[in-house]
Amino acid sequence: MQWDFKAIFQSDEEAIENAKRYSKLIGSLVDELEKVKDLNRIHQLIREIEDSTDNFSKSIQYAWMRYSVNTKEKESQKLLGTIQSLESNVGEYFAKFEVRLSKLSKKDIQELKKIAPNYRHFIEIIEKRKKHLLSKEAEQVLALTSISRREAISKIHNKLESSYKFKIEIDGEIKVLTPEEVKALRRSTNSDLRKKAMKTFLKRFQEDSLVITEVYNLVVKDYDLESKIRKFARPISMRNFENEVSDDVVDSLIETTNENVNILREYYKWKSEVMNEKLTLADIYAPITTKARKFSFDEAKEIILDAYYSFSNKAGDIVKSFFDDSRIDLYPREGKIGGAYCIYSTTKLPAYVLTNFNGDMYDIMTLAHELGHGLHGTLSKKQTYFNYDTPLTLAELASVFGEFLVFDYLKGKLDKEERLALISSKIEDTFATTFRQNFFTNFEIRSHDLISNSGYADWKELNDIYYEELRKTFGEVVEIPQWYKNEWAMISHFFETPFYVYSYNFAHCLVIALYQKYLEEGKSFTKKYLSLLESGGSLSPNELLSKVGIDISKSDFWQKAFDFIDSLVKEIKINYNK
């Protein structure tokens, strides 16, 4: 299962020519928009700019996909650099585009919404951005320099990690492993191997500490400076604004998660007793049974499809198409980026999934997660490009919901020992997307504050902040080896998209509420859920969630999610002792 790039473009040259053509067209359309006053023509130009940007985005998606599977290849590096340079030009045009629309009078804005109801939410976002927009010239400078600012700088971190190789002895044999293969050893049944693997992996970042520290400081300074000149209250406020959620809602999520860390501590205290060993951070994903079930790709495919089909034939057919059309790049290999993602940058192309499949239960959940993204990206193609994508706070909604579907389905297909291992793994994955992402957020807030106030944070200072946040979460229940202070340096989101990480926690708590509604309402909920996904980003998060009866502004909303997580912990403790 590897991507067929010729299904998108026949060659890199064709992708570049496509980008050049539509970049030039967008520029000419924006130039006309700056001069025209007739609202009907403005509406028509918005549609033409939208369609041209959609077509341009085909080249962006292609370039990122090519680079992702071979970060070392000169051709893929050159392609990405060329496309990003053209993307910078498009960003400049969009800066002019937004400034022009923001200068329309209130009367013209209201009239334009009537003429162009499809763009109501899009126009409202620009209205809200008005107080954070700079002059046309300043916006153009920011857009043009984006090619050499934080997004470009963050790729240094990406290239470093994807180039790492690790020699580790496994069952008497020295093996050379990729970063993803090493991280997969956290789920080994061999305690010594888990610890050795993570020590080897995390200590490697120490060797590049000078470069990583400099890159992180530059990314933070760039992001925080932009948030300051755009007059946001705090650096995280700029991300909250883009996510269309208030600071108060995000602060409430962070605070509620901090207040519930005892759930995590209670679980790991129990797990230490079950495994009869003092757990370290290298052991928190260890299976609670030595019966480590491995799944072939065909088995994983069958489980995932059965789970999605049991929810909805429509959803099942969409997920099946990823397998049928080979739109999954499945296995780890040298030069391929770590982790997993689903990409759908344009309505002109289908969504594609990348994973690093090793065959354990976690990998099935990861594949189910990314195919949930794929379902969302496919259904939201009902919208036009400007309404296609959701803010980050809803971006993880369908992916986490997909995990719950597969989790519930798989539970009924396993024997008792395997089922307990699955529930344990699910609890730990839930912790990884709630408590873990939350202490990541706490780390980001503190590190951004330190760098903004003092001008620089060195490797030791960043390590110390991270260690303190680990300790606040795990307490004394789990031993934290010294090399885990380096772990922040492997979190790609810190470098690529500051303050992205809380969206995982946000989405997971949100999906718990959605899934509970599904369990209560059954098939009558399915239609509402699919309609929610089909809506893409055509409405604000509050309006979208109201479709399924959810109000995230309620004071106890987040606590209900942690009450559910607590119930999972209690369930496994009761069933394990039966």
Side-chain angles (χ1 to χ4, degrees):
M1 292 291 286
Q2 290 186 10
W3 289 333
D4 176 14
F5 291 103
K6 290 190 182 299
I8 305 175
F9 288 111
Q10 288 300 306
S11 66
D12 292 355
E13 290 72 25
E14 186 183 350
I16 291 168
E17 284 306 310
N18 178 78
K20 286 179 176 177
R21 180 168 66 253
Y22 284 106
S23 171
K24 185 177 179 181
L25 179 56
I26 293 165
S28 64
L29 291 168
V30 171
D31 285 343
E32 182 181 350
L33 179 68
E34 287 196 294
K35 300 167 188 172
V36 74
K37 294 182 179 179
D38 179 71
L39 292 177
N40 286 303
R41 179 56 183 156
I42 288 175
H43 174 213
Q44 188 177 355
L45 283 167
I46 293 173
R47 290 178 61 184
E48 291 176 20
I49 291 168
E50 176 185 50
D51 189 62
S52 297
T53 309
D54 204 358
N55 276 297
F56 177 85
S57 297
K58 287 175 62 179
S59 297
I60 297 174
Q61 179 163 327
Y62 174 84
W64 269 111
M65 289 170 62
R66 284 269 287 111
Y67 175 76
S68 296
V69 297
N70 199 339
T71 60
K72 292 183 176 181
E73 183 188 60
K74 288 182 180 178
E75 289 80 6
S76 66
Q77 294 173 3
K78 183 179 177 181
L79 169 68
L80 184 59
T82 302
I83 298 299
Q84 285 185 321
S85 181
L86 292 165
E87 189 179 9
S88 175
N89 293 338
V90 171
E92 179 198 359
Y93 304 144
F94 258 80
K96 293 161 68 176
F97 174 49
E98 283 200 17
V99 170
R100 172 68 184 98
L101 292 183
S102 71
K103 286 185 176 178
L104 291 172
S105 67
K106 286 186 178 180
K107 181 182 176 183
D108 282 348
I109 286 283
Q110 294 308 315
E111 188 61 30
L112 186 58
K113 286 180 188 177
K114 292 177 185 176
I115 295 171
N118 180 54
Y119 299 116
R120 179 183 69 83
H121 182 55
F122 175 73
I123 294 167
E124 286 174 349
I125 290 174
I126 292 176
E127 278 187 284
K128 290 174 183 175
R129 280 185 189 157
K130 200 170 183 176
K131 65 179 179 179
H132 300 295
L133 283 174
L134 309 175
S135 68
K136 182 176 76 173
E137 292 75 20
E139 289 292 349
Q140 285 179 259
V141 169
L142 285 177
L144 282 170
T145 57
S146 65
I147 192 171
S148 57
R149 288 171 49 225
R150 61 179 177 268
E151 288 184 17
I153 295 166
S154 71
K155 284 207 288 294
I156 297 171
H157 174 268
N158 181 279
K159 286 182 179 180
L160 269 178
E161 185 175 350
S162 63
S163 72
Y164 290 168
K165 295 178 185 175
F166 301 90
K167 289 184 179 180
I168 296 180
E169 183 178 337
I170 303 176
D171 297 330
E173 180 184 351
I174 299 294
K175 294 189 177 182
V176 179
L177 304 180
T178 66
E180 285 303 310
E181 289 171 325
V182 175
K183 285 189 281 186
L185 294 176
R186 290 177 296 181
R187 292 175 168 80
S188 168
T189 56
N190 184 323
S191 177
D192 292 336
L193 179 58
R194 291 193 299 268
K195 294 174 177 64
K196 180 172 64 176
M198 290 312 294
K199 183 176 183 179
T200 302
F201 179 68
L202 292 174
K203 288 188 78 171
R204 177 66 182 83
F205 289 87
Q206 179 80 42
E207 297 174 31
D208 290 315
S209 61
L210 179 62
V211 175
I212 293 171
T213 303
E214 292 301 317
V215 167
Y216 186 65
N217 273 269
L218 286 171
V219 167
V220 170
K221 287 177 183 178
D222 182 84
Y223 183 88
D224 290 5
L225 179 59
E226 183 176 341
S227 73
K228 184 177 181 180
I229 64 176
R230 291 194 183 281
K231 297 181 173 61
F232 285 100
R234 296 177 287 161
I236 196 173
S237 303
M238 186 160 75
R239 181 67 63 205
N240 296 343
F241 181 82
E242 291 171 4
N243 287 340
E244 299 184 68
V245 290
S246 70
D247 286 1
D248 287 344
V249 167
V250 175
D251 289 346
S252 176
L253 169 65
I254 294 169
E255 183 180 349
T256 304
T257 311
N258 287 335
E259 290 170 352
N260 281 277
V261 292
N262 279 335
I263 298 171
L264 174 143
R265 294 178 184 181
E266 179 188 347
Y267 171 80
Y268 282 117
K269 183 175 182 238
W270 169 81
K271 185 174 181 178
S272 293
E273 293 168 358
V274 166
M275 297 184 70
N276 197 29
E277 66 174 290
K278 174 72 173 180
L279 296 181
T280 74
L281 276 180
D283 305 310
I284 60 175
Y285 302 115
I288 59 171
T289 170
T290 55
K291 186 180 179 182
R293 172 83 178 269
K294 283 285 185 178
F295 297 84
S296 69
F297 169 61
D298 287 336
E299 287 175 317
K301 174 183 174 181
E302 182 181 356
I303 289 164
I304 290 168
L305 288 180
D306 284 351
Y308 272 100
Y309 270 116
S310 68
F311 176 70
S312 156
N313 285 335
K314 184 176 183 178
D317 286 343
I318 290 171
V319 171
K320 185 173 181 290
S321 70
F322 282 82
F323 296 98
D324 293 345
D325 302 338
S326 294
R327 285 187 281 119
I328 304 171
D329 198 291
L330 193 70
Y331 294 106
R333 56 187 182 274
E334 186 179 342
K336 182 176 176 180
I337 66 167
Y341 74 70
C342 175
I343 188 166
Y344 49 97
S345 304
T346 166
T347 70
K348 308 290 185 182
L349 292 174
Y352 285 77
V353 162
L354 176 146
T355 67
N356 283 273
F357 186 82
N358 282 294
D360 58 26
M361 287 184 188
Y362 173 80
D363 290 325
I364 294 179
M365 289 300 172
T366 299
L367 186 53
H369 177 104
E370 299 306 334
L371 288 167
H373 279 306
L375 174 66
H376 199 170
T378 303
L379 289 172
S380 61
K381 284 174 75 172
K382 186 175 182 180
Q383 305 298 323
T384 59
Y385 180 76
F386 286 158
N387 292 326
Y388 181 43
D389 216 358
T390 62
L392 292 178
T393 40
L394 299 186
E396 298 296 331
L397 188 151
S399 54
V400 179
F401 194 91
E403 286 187 63
F404 270 101
L405 287 174
V406 172
F407 169 70
D408 266 358
Y409 176 83
L410 193 52
K411 262 200 311 188
K413 301 292 180 181
L414 303 173
D415 63 31
K416 181 185 176 182
E417 190 174 359
E418 290 172 339
R419 187 164 59 252
L420 288 170
L422 175 66
I423 296 171
S424 171
S425 177
K426 181 60 180 172
I427 290 170
E428 289 157 15
D429 289 345
T430 299
F431 288 166
T433 49
T434 53
F435 295 110
R436 180 173 168 82
Q437 303 303 324
N438 195 63
F439 74 69
F440 285 173
T441 305
N442 290 332
F443 167 82
E444 280 198 279
I445 291 170
R446 291 182 61 189
S447 62
H448 279 247
D449 284 347
L450 176 60
I451 292 168
S452 291
N453 294 331
S454 67
Y456 189 80
D458 63 30
W459 178 258
K460 181 180 182 303
E461 287 173 316
L462 293 167
N463 280 4
D464 288 346
I465 292 172
Y466 192 78
Y467 182 82
E468 287 169 16
E469 293 304 326
L470 282 173
R471 181 60 68 204
K472 285 178 186 177
T473 300
F474 289 95
E476 301 297 326
V477 174
V478 173
E479 182 184 330
I480 305 173
Q482 286 298 307
W483 57 85
Y484 261 91
K485 290 183 176 182
N486 299 349
E487 191 184 31
W488 69 269
M490 64 167 262
I491 312 301
S492 59
H493 285 315
F494 291 166
F495 299 83
E496 295 170 4
T497 317
F499 299 109
Y500 182 108
V501 289
Y502 80 73
S503 65
Y504 287 106
N505 190 14
F506 191 110
H508 207 104
C509 293
L510 180 58
V511 169
I512 287 172
L514 282 171
Y515 203 73
Q516 286 176 316
K517 280 186 170 290
Y518 168 55
L519 295 177
E520 292 166 7
E521 299 175 21
K523 289 296 180 181
S524 64
F525 175 82
T526 302
K527 188 176 180 180
K528 289 189 285 186
Y529 174 74
L530 296 179
S531 174
L532 171 64
L533 300 189
E534 286 175 346
S535 299
S538 61
L539 300 168
S540 70
N542 285 340
E543 289 174 302
L544 287 170
L545 294 173
S546 68
K547 286 188 168 192
V548 287
I550 284 179
D551 182 0
I552 58 174
S553 66
K554 289 184 177 178
S555 58
D556 62 344
F557 179 80
W558 304 118
Q559 185 56 50
K560 286 181 179 178
F562 288 99
D563 291 343
F564 172 80
I565 296 169
D566 189 38
S567 72
L568 283 179
V569 172
K570 287 181 169 59
E571 177 189 350
I572 194 170
K573 289 171 71 176
I574 291 169
N575 287 330
Y576 190 87
N577 294 324
K578 281 184 178 178

